[in-house]
Amino acid sequence: MPHSEPGSEVAEDKMDIQPEADVEGSPTANGDTHGTAEEDTPMADAAQSQPEVRDHDKKDVKLEELFDDMDSDEEFPSSKEAADQTPQSSSPDELPSSIGGADLKASDPEVMRSFYQRLFPWRYLFQWLNHSPTPTNDFGHREFAFTLSNDAYLRYQSFPTADLLKKDVLRLMPSRFEIGPVYNTNPRDRKTLRNSTAFKPLSKELCFDIDLTDYDDIRTCCDKANICNKCWQFMTMAIKVIDAALREDFGFKHIMWVYSGRRGAHAWVCDKKARAMDDQKRRAIAGYLEVIRGGAQSGKKVNLRRPLHPHITRSLDILKTHFQKDVLEVQDPWQTMERQDKLLQLLPDKQLNERLRTKWNSAPGRGSLSKWADIDALAKTGASKSLDAKALLEAKQDIVLEYTYPRLDIEVSKKLNHLLKSPFVVHPGTGRVCVPIDTKSLENFDPLAVPTVQSLLQEIDAWKASEEPDSSASRVQDWEKTGLKPYVEQFRSFVIGLMKDERDVKVKRERDDESMDF
Amino acid sequence: MIRQEFGRPEAKRARAVDHRKKQHAAPTYQDNTYPYRLNFYTTPPTADITLEQFEQWAIDRLRVLAELEACAFRNKSPAETAAHMKPLLDKYLPIEANSSSSTQKTEQRRKDHYSHFILRLAFASTEDLRRRFARVETALFRMRMASDDKSEREAFVESLGLDWERVTDKERKMLRDELAATSAATFGAKIAPEEETWCKVDWERVPELVEQRKVYLRAGKAYVPSREQQSMVITEFTNHLDKALEMTARALPRLDEDDRLTPILNHLSKNFITPDAGYASSGAPEGAEISARNIDNLSVHFPACMSNLHKSLRRDAHLKHYGRLQYTLFLKGIGLSLDECLVFWRTSFHKVTDDTFNKEYRYNVRHVYGDVGGDANRRGGGYSPFSCQKILTEHPPGPGEAHGCPYRHFNLENLTTLLQSMGVSDRSVLQGVKEDKEKQKFHLACNRVFEYVHQKEIKRAKDEGVMTAAQLETIVHPNEYFKRSYILKNLDKKKEQAPSDVKMEAS
Ligand SMILES: [Zn+2]
């Protein structure tokens, strides 16, 4: 079995897995010979040393996942490609700005080493996943997956403590790493189990992934991997809508939004109840939140029942001002003749459409804001005798949603065992750190101002130069000397809130248990 | 028999039918009484039955389940399914209401009870079988529940002891608008919320209703009108069955000790083959040149889904991942060899470098063909081409994606354009397609187009007796579409060649 097929499993920032599929070398040695056909394969690699390089030749992976994220226009084409990337490739404007001596690439081993060594918030990452200050299985049985700079993809890594995780990261220097589920046993011991079904994922945060490339048919300012503050507004509205639904409707409290480093955002819903959900429940939430449906050829992408569900009504409320300002005014999506046809196709009344077309054709370049206003204005003048005012209103609501409602990469949310890129890793293409987004001041979040790893390292150096004489300097952590500080502090208070809730639940349970005794 | 106590791992020995002893004695049934027509199958059977009963009852139930699955597969509506299933149910698995005067009620319910548990054993072994079994058993339960007498149904639901919290009048008034919105959208605006009893449950208890936004949600609670209780009961049924099947799977190895049951169970589960399996290793039609450079020519025989993928690929020199997956599997199914398939994709993706192609795409094509990957993948020759069912129901296309079924995933305008490009301009055909689409009969639309495009040849094939009626049945697999189309359009070349029957599902 060849051991390293190139480029095979490097996904963008998620990876779907089927733990039960990885069953080679299941224990037949104990003389226990019954079982399913998949189980009786020989122990091909029992003596393999850690860490194992997991690749496709060693396990069965669902084909769908193999094809997943192989598009060359993905955010992370592959870690190797990012490393090889020369500045003239696809989006030069995305390369980290070079201040003074910061001419090293983000993926440079020395840059990465310093980052993991000095800046990465290991302690809080540990507490976040462990839900308690002392190590538990929540952390110890959690899967990590490393993407190495030579493209190897290491699945099923696990660590008893944050220090051991950090040590291994520094040894292997992954270009990024992903976080998977907590298993019922230590992922490294999975092969010693009696059979494949005994190794099972138990819990994982509910995750969401929103990516601006899914907005390419409605944003006019950028496309593909490029973003600017204009189109980032789509992300702002998406976060507002999803966050509100998760909190108000589902009652979740511990939701963290994280910038994906280039053109998207991830949500981690960390409530205990959310982590314990099976796939069916994840699918239910995904379906509940999904409104934009259909592919390139499906035409109208929003088709909702009336009356609108309260979740949709609330979303429309959130979105309507964004629609006026960030879409009609800023994106001006129907400015050209070709694009105005897209609008007309979504409107129901043929006569009215003809009148609108005539009007707009005689005023080339008329802005989308005016065109949108024209619809009602002409409708009021009786432009169509057969006008169904209710149908028109509903079509307009659907259009607002089609141009503003979050476009989720829903597969990420549906499965308990999906892996997702860790917060605070560095995007190898942009050098930007995947920092949490503060939903309290969402409007102020500027993805282009997120610190790059190179700028952070420079800040540490600069800080030293100016503050070294101060004797208290040694107690200041490196991240506190940099622009990463507010993000780490935000993460810390998120983690503290989460741990407090978990502890309270535990205490309450123990108290209940005690009272049972009497 | 089945003293095995289903789902109880600690049961040490699987003493199945002791038929030497029981064959001659009248079977004694113990413990199980059946006060209701519906059954949640919480209690395993405890009495002994003969080996013949064991097998016959299981086969009878399997017949019913396989046909139910076929109905879902053909997108039949609940009413159509019920009508279609009635004769089968009457014959193989009748189950009458308490109000019936039949003397067979207990006997019917016993058979229903036992056969369910026998099939659990047969279908617990793999996750795929478990999932399918749970799905069809739920469908059967749902159908029976819908046909149940109202008062009997209520008594049955009552007996389950599910704890549902009533919404107070005060809260109902406070949430009037929200409740009205979900109620009216789902059931038509007939009943005002205050005229109805609502209950409040953790949303996890009604995931189906949540997924379809049929209930109002607030702080993790779902507000369910009494009319939707049925859905909640069904969810409970599925949850319960899923758990029980996993327990059975864990207990399963012990069954191997009984060498009389194992062959029967294996036989049963093999008879429940997946609809996709039919084209695992399908060959090319005789005389066809299946090569990379000939795909353009062959594409006139492709169904709309593949035709669209082919056109998109030619237009963009690229397809997104599900598109590549669906199309590669189809090409494999028409008989394109791995080498030719690699040539095909390499030349089609002419905008990428060799390096990119080798790094990002080559491996996946090889994996599909079972050339690489884990042992199971290679033994199985990779993956099977997708059936219509799979294409219709899994992974609907998102923005910029070209896979899926055009009859389902295109709007009418774009579908019409696509069909016209395939040579379908006849108004009555297009009108028919439109109606099929509205009724969600996507496979009918596709077959309608097939029949139109091949009308001359079908007539000739029938007249000359080249193909039997069975060979001209409804197409439910894109590869069957291709094969049949190719053969029909080449009747002169290969008169004796007829499409092979493909077994699509258990029967
Ligand atoms: Zn932009």
Side-chain angles (χ1 to χ4, degrees), chain A residues 219-223 226-232 331:
Chain A
R219 58 177 180 158
T220 56
C221 50
C222 312
D223 68 350
N226 302 304
I227 64 156
C228 67
N229 276 306
K230 289 181 189 164
C231 49
W232 184 260
Q331 296 287 340

Side-chain angles (χ1 to χ4, degrees), chain A residues 9 20 64 76 101 140 157-159 187 269 281 325 368 382 389 396 488 490 493 500:
Chain A
E9 202 170 331
E20 63 280 3
E64 288 87 339
F76 275 116
Q157 306 299 302
S158 61
F159 307 91
V269 185
K281 292 180 190 115
K325 184 167 178 307
S368 301
K396 285 183 67 189
V488 174
Q490 188 194 329
S493 63
K500 188 173 172 300

Side-chain angles (χ1 to χ4, degrees), chain B residues 17 29-30 32 48 61 74 101 113 121 194 251 275 288-289 302 307 348 379 419 431-432 491:
Chain B
V17 194
Y29 301 112
Q30 309 152 350
N32 293 124
D48 292 353
R61 190 182 194 88
R74 300 202 153 86
S101 59
H113 182 210
L121 290 177
E194 55 268 30
E289 186 205 326
F302 290 2
S307 189
S348 301
R379 264 203 308 271
L419 292 178
Q431 180 60 28
L491 283 175

Side-chain angles (χ1 to χ4, degrees), chain A residues 503-518:
Chain A
R503 195 184 57 220
D504 290 350
V505 170
K506 219 170 159 189
V507 168
K508 186 174 176 297
R509 205 173 39 228
E510 274 159 15
R511 211 178 287 140
D512 289 350
D513 287 350
E514 274 164 30
S515 60
M516 295 278 282
D517 293 340
F518 296 97

